[in-house]
């Protein structure tokens, strides 16, 4: 971490991990974020059931954050996504709406979110849902089980191809 005398440590930018060949550093991702289509096979399980299996995803890349994958609404069987009251606001993407995610007798309250009317530049998210991998049984990218981003707000998906350090854990709020 770069030290600045008199500046609180939680606001200091950490030293990025140098990516190896075939890896990406979240510190090379843009701010504002960008959306990119991805061909990987995404499989999500909850309650012992596959609730999504798709090769039609997009991911949002933002400085210091692991990618967040968004899957088409129609990748989910009927009854898996139950709309919830309440919204939140992203300065870049706009107003987010939430879903309970339900399968196999398991309910994850506000386990998914969508941007039905996203801000300009994020139109690809309008018919897609992101999920918090921490609360699913498993989330896979091309067969690799992802690790979730620390913290209860962001929902990033960490694979072996992604290096940090990552925002979200204790002491990272000022990055």
């Amino acid at each position: 971490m770069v030290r600045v005398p008199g500046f609180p440590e939680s606001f200091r930018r950490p030293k990025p991990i140098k990516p190896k060949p075939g890896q990406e550093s979240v510190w090379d991702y843009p701010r504002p974020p960008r959306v990119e289509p991805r061909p990987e096979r995404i499989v999500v399980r909850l309650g012992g059931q596959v609730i999504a299996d798709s090769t039609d995803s997009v991911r949002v890349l933002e400085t210091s954050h692991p990618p967040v994958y968004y899957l088409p609404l129609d990748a989910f069987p009927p009854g898996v996504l139950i709309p919830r009251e309440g919204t939140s606001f992203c300065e870049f993407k706009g107003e987010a709406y939430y879903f309970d995610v339900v399968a196999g007798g398991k309910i994850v309250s506000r386990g998914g979110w969508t941007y039905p009317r996203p801000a300009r530049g994020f139109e690809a998210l309008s018919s897609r849902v992101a999920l918090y991998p921490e609360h699913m049984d498993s989330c896979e990218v091309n067969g690799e089980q992802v690790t979730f981003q620390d913290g209860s707000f962001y929902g990033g998906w960490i694979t072996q191809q992604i290096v940090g350090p990552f925002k979200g854990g204790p002491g990272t709020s000022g990055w």
Side-chain angles (χ1 to χ4, degrees):
M1 183 176 289
V2 177
R3 305 258 183 239
V4 178
F7 204 63
E9 190 167 319
S10 64
F11 286 93
R12 295 185 188 136
R13 181 181 166 148
K15 183 174 181 182
I17 296 168
K18 184 176 168 107
K20 295 177 182 169
Q23 291 184 316
E24 302 172 3
S25 171
V26 297
W27 294 94
D28 293 331
Y29 292 165
R31 188 161 174 89
R34 92 171 166 256
V35 178
E36 66 175 26
R38 299 301 295 179
E40 295 99 345
R41 182 175 182 202
I42 306 297
V43 178
V44 180
R45 292 178 178 83
L46 179 67
Q49 299 177 2
V50 172
I51 62 166
D53 186 342
S54 180
T55 56
D56 177 21
S57 68
V58 298
R59 65 180 190 165
V60 174
L61 306 179
E62 181 175 358
T63 305
S64 78
H65 297 274
V68 175
Y69 283 82
Y70 287 76
L71 303 172
L73 281 165
D74 63 9
F76 296 87
V80 168
L81 301 174
I82 309 298
R84 283 291 305 262
E85 293 290 323
T87 63
S88 63
F89 186 77
C90 171
E91 66 183 304
F92 301 113
K93 297 180 286 290
E95 191 171 22
Y97 290 75
Y98 291 86
F99 296 102
D100 285 348
V101 184
V102 180
K106 198 168 181 182
I107 300 171
V108 179
S109 179
R110 294 172 67 102
W113 70 97
T114 187
Y115 293 92
R117 293 178 301 281
R120 193 177 59 188
F122 293 91
E123 294 87 357
L125 304 181
S126 69
S127 60
R128 295 177 181 273
V129 175
L131 302 168
Y132 289 104
E134 171 182 13
H135 302 298
M136 302 298 119
D137 292 350
S138 66
C139 296
E140 299 173 8
V141 176
N142 276 345
E144 179 186 345
Q145 170 75 34
V146 305
T147 303
F148 60 87
Q149 180 178 11
D150 283 340
S152 60
F153 185 72
Y154 297 110
W157 295 35
I158 304 169
T159 63
Q160 294 177 13
Q161 288 73 39
I162 310 297
V163 296
F166 309 112
K167 184 173 183 167
T172 65
S173 64
W175 295 358

